[in-house]
Amino acid sequence: VFRCGRRRALATVAPPVPQAPQPVPVPERSHDLLRALTSALQILGSARDATAALTESFAHAARAFGAEKALLLRVKGTDPLELESIRASGLAFDEVKACLQGLPVPGVSASRIRRAVETGEPQLVENSQFDGKHASETGSLTGRPHSVLCAPVSDPWTGSVLAVLYFQTAPGP
């Protein structure tokens, strides 16, 4: 209550209006992953050995991304797709072998790998629960939710895909 001359007035304070949820910042690990991939491209642009550069960057990227399953595949041919495993983590030998044959493996989507090679574009599934597909349609999306990044590594002069980096992890920051 406050006085204004002879009259009294009641001043009430309305309860605070609920704020809309703030957008979630991009997870820091995504930035680390992009730095690792950028590093791979810089190394490839230098005179260093391409396989050594990819292997080194793959290890950094898998750690930065917190990948539960990760693959580094060399693209030997595109028609038909022929892949060679350079490095893998979180997968048994038989699972890696199945990936090379284009077969789906829990945690790895053969269709995402194939699409990355065909289009030359990264394939990203931020959260398989919100991907718009039934979870059983691709090997990487079965079971609990996953996040997937499948990124082609292209030759800067020819544009041809040299390799594919594949990372699968639990979604979230």
Side-chain angles (χ1 to χ4, degrees):
V1 176
F2 65 91
R3 287 184 185 254
C4 181
R6 291 184 169 180
R7 295 186 179 179
R8 280 194 225 175
L10 291 175
T12 58
V13 178
V17 177
Q19 297 286 329
Q22 297 297 317
V24 178
V26 176
E28 184 62 32
R29 70 179 181 193
S30 296
H31 294 289
D32 292 340
L33 177 60
L34 291 175
R35 277 188 229 122
L37 293 175
T38 301
S39 170
L41 294 175
Q42 289 171 340
I43 293 169
L44 283 172
S46 70
R48 290 183 53 192
D49 175 69
T51 301
L54 287 170
T55 303
E56 179 182 326
S57 295
F58 170 80
H60 292 298
R63 274 193 305 275
F65 194 54
E68 295 171 352
K69 298 187 181 199
L71 283 166
L72 171 57
L73 305 171
R74 180 191 323 266
V75 177
K76 294 173 72 176
T78 57
D79 191 22
L81 182 59
E82 186 181 356
L83 302 169
E84 174 186 22
S85 175
I86 298 175
R87 190 113 185 250
S89 65
L91 295 159
F93 176 78
D94 290 339
E95 292 174 317
V96 173
K97 191 173 168 183
C99 291
L100 297 177
Q101 296 170 352
L103 302 172
V105 171
V108 181
S109 171
S111 62
R112 296 279 177 180
I113 293 171
R114 189 173 43 259
R115 198 171 308 135
V117 173
E118 289 171 355
T119 65
E121 298 290 325
Q123 303 296 307
L124 176 65
V125 177
E126 291 183 42
N127 185 328
S128 61
Q129 290 178 319
F130 306 114
D131 190 43
K133 294 183 180 178
H134 188 270
S136 64
E137 288 183 21
T138 181
S140 68
L141 305 181
T142 56
R144 66 181 177 79
H146 293 90
S147 293
V148 172
L149 173 64
C150 181
V153 177
S154 301
D155 183 303
W157 293 278
T158 66
S160 63
V161 178
L162 302 172
V164 175
L165 297 164
Y166 188 98
F167 303 104
Q168 176 266 322
T169 189

